[in-house]
Amino acid sequence: MTGQPVGVKAFLVARSEARLLVPALMFIALVVAAVASLGAPLITSVATSFHVSLGSAQWTLTIPLLSGAVATPVLGRLGAGPHRRATILVTLAVVVAGSALTVLPLPFAWLLVGRAAQGVGLGLTALMMGVARDHLPEARGAATISLISVVSIIGVGVGYPLAGLLAELGGVRAAYGFGLVVTAVAFLTAWRSMPEAPAGRSAHVDVAGAVVLAVALLLVLSLAGERNLWSRHLAVAAGLAVVAVVLLGVWAVIELRSKAPLVDVRAVRHPAVAGANIAMFVGGIGMYLLLTLITRYAQTPHGAGYGFGLTTFVAGLVLIPFSVLGFVAGKLTPRVRTRIADPLLLAGSAVVVGGGFALFAAARSDLAELFAAMGVLGFGVGGFSAAMPGVILAVTPKSETSSAMSFNYVVRSVGYALGSAIGGLILAAGSGPGRLFPDDSAYTTAALVGIGAMAITTLTSLALARRRSSETNP
């Protein structure tokens, strides 16, 4: 570039940095999602390796979801301030440290601590969106944000088969070792590529709001994960559910009165944002319900009268259509958005997911049918995830991107947890006395519940579309 004007050199450097920034954002979002999902296919291996019950091993999946849900709004607020780069690097350092704890030959309690630290990384997804919106041209930024949203979902499909394969080849520590390697690479990537936040930003963390929200989410996600509590101690579970609702109400009051709220509740009450979060909550229940139904059905042994008795690794391969078609939908969505409004894309994607439920309910006697249902689910989830940020960010200032999207991801986490719990409850109710596996008809019942959830999601999205149409065409 000898002889080029300084302005031209600066432009070329900025363009080169922007070109590197997009894959870096995508990679970090993929890594934190994949690492957080490592617990699901390893539950049985963890139980046998650490000599704990399956219920205790289940916490290796629940605790990262919990820590991620708690950390997300806090990181979203920090990411709205001047120290976003430092927040990203420190968070990834915590994830790397947690990954190391999962690999070291330490007792089970330390594994849970490590998994909790890994879950904190889930809060980075919203920060990646904030970086994209601040440092990329508007059209490129919108497309990148959509793909970040999709990648944060399809990371599950990457983590499952890899974890299963590594667990079969080298044991549970080898599977967690994969998490340590990729999180270390993600930290180095962030160190190299993450820019500083724009000047003039400020952010304060509402500590009281963070504590109350953390306790409320702990109750909600624990109640969602502890299915035995509902079946054996219904009154206690119902009481704790009431406490959780009260705490969420107290949290909302704290946020409304705070000068520096953790989440801008007034902005969340905007009809477009509130509607999007309702759609995300109900849709998340349905999406995760079908994901868990298909993977569980695939691993059910033939002796139950149905199922395919797949190993952990092979069952993880069933998720490949989910990831591939989810990514395809995410790539297509930015082009479709030029012709179809985001709320309508949400509605259409919800219908596609409902079609996946219908396919699973009607045809699951062949493994190819499970692959097809998972592919339909992936395409619907990919489109839904890609369109969601556009609905929220259309009415959100740039400076509040991370905070607004972090709240949406908390809603998504709670929806996913409830989807998993609802699926478990329905299948448990369909298990006869003394039977380990539910009747085949219980899966049909769960699929019908999922269709109902996606119908509600579709109607909510259509209401959003009608409202946007009335605002743009008075």
Side-chain angles (χ1 to χ4, degrees):
M1 296 192 295
T2 303
Q4 290 181 336
V6 174
V8 174
K9 288 183 179 180
F11 170 76
L12 292 176
V13 170
R15 188 171 65 176
S16 175
E17 290 178 347
R19 190 182 303 118
L20 293 173
L21 180 60
V22 173
L25 295 173
M26 308 284 281
F27 176 68
I28 293 169
L30 178 64
V31 165
V32 295
V35 169
S37 73
L38 286 177
L42 302 177
I43 290 174
T44 303
S45 300
V46 167
T48 54
S49 299
F50 288 88
H51 307 290
V52 297
S53 67
L54 284 174
S56 297
Q58 178 73 26
W59 277 96
T60 60
L61 176 61
T62 303
I63 206 165
L65 289 176
L66 172 61
S67 62
V70 172
T72 292
V74 175
L75 293 180
R77 177 50 59 197
L78 290 172
H83 306 298
R84 182 169 61 201
R85 173 180 162 84
T87 300
I88 292 171
L89 292 176
V90 169
T91 302
L92 282 171
V94 170
V95 176
V96 172
S99 299
L101 288 177
T102 64
V103 175
L104 295 173
L106 297 171
F108 179 68
W110 285 105
L111 175 63
L112 292 182
V113 172
R115 291 292 292 152
Q118 287 179 325
V120 171
L122 292 172
L124 290 176
T125 303
L127 271 67
M128 298 299 102
M129 293 181 177
V131 172
R133 200 177 187 197
D134 283 335
H135 297 279
L136 295 173
E138 185 175 352
R140 183 84 181 277
T144 301
I145 287 171
S146 293
L147 280 179
I148 290 172
S149 182
V150 173
V151 163
S152 70
I153 299 288
I154 66 174
V156 175
V158 175
Y160 270 50
L162 279 175
L165 176 61
L166 291 172
E168 288 186 9
L169 294 177
V172 67
R173 298 291 187 186
Y176 284 128
F178 162 76
L180 176 59
V181 172
V182 294
T183 52
V185 174
F187 177 83
L188 295 175
T189 301
W191 182 276
R192 169 68 180 83
S193 60
M194 287 300 110
E196 297 288 349
R201 297 279 177 86
S202 62
H204 303 279
V205 176
D206 175 16
V207 177
V211 171
V212 173
L213 180 62
V215 176
L217 290 175
L218 172 62
L219 288 174
V220 170
L221 294 178
S222 297
L223 288 170
E226 292 293 330
R227 299 166 193 147
N228 290 335
L229 185 62
W230 289 96
S231 59
R232 298 177 183 177
H233 307 284
L234 181 59
V236 174
L240 291 175
V242 171
V243 172
V245 171
V246 170
L247 285 175
L248 289 174
V250 171
W251 172 77
V253 172
I254 292 174
E255 297 302 285
L256 286 170
R257 293 181 176 178
S258 175
K259 294 181 179 179
L262 191 66
V263 174
D264 188 348
V265 176
R266 290 182 177 85
V268 170
R269 291 189 304 180
H270 187 286
V273 179
N277 284 322
I278 292 171
M280 184 74 262
F281 175 70
V282 181
I285 291 174
M287 294 171 195
Y288 209 77
L289 172 59
L290 183 54
L291 189 71
T292 55
L293 288 178
I294 294 177
T295 52
R296 182 165 170 175
Y297 193 92
Q299 291 180 283
T300 300
H302 296 287
Y306 60 90
F308 301 94
L310 302 183
T311 64
T312 302
F313 169 58
V314 178
L317 295 179
V318 177
L319 283 156
I320 290 179
F322 174 85
S323 294
V324 172
L325 288 178
F327 188 75
V328 169
K331 291 288 287 184
L332 291 175
T333 298
R335 302 177 186 177
V336 179
R337 288 178 64 196
T338 60
R339 299 181 180 181
I340 302 175
D342 288 314
L344 285 177
L345 286 176
L346 287 182
S349 299
V351 171
V352 172
V353 175
F357 272 108
L359 180 59
F360 177 72
R364 53 178 184 266
S365 59
D366 189 275
L367 190 57
E369 293 167 343
L370 291 191
F371 275 88
M374 192 65 88
V376 172
L377 172 64
F379 194 81
V381 170
F384 194 90
S385 302
M388 178 59 70
V391 178
I392 295 175
L393 298 183
V395 293
T396 302
K398 270 191 174 184
S399 60
E400 292 295 313
T401 298
S402 297
S403 181
M405 291 309 303
S406 68
F407 184 78
N408 184 255
Y409 278 85
V410 171
V411 170
R412 187 182 80 178
S413 296
V414 175
Y416 283 0
L418 289 177
S420 176
I422 289 170
L425 288 172
I426 294 173
L427 296 183
S431 302
R435 292 194 60 186
L436 181 61
F437 299 100
D439 296 332
D440 186 46
S441 59
Y443 283 91
T444 303
T445 300
L448 294 176
V449 171
I451 291 174
M454 299 320 299
I456 294 172
T457 306
T458 302
L459 293 175
T460 303
S461 302
L462 290 175
L464 282 174
R466 283 195 295 270
R467 181 178 180 85
R468 176 177 288 192
S469 178
S470 65
E471 288 176 350
T472 55
N473 300 298

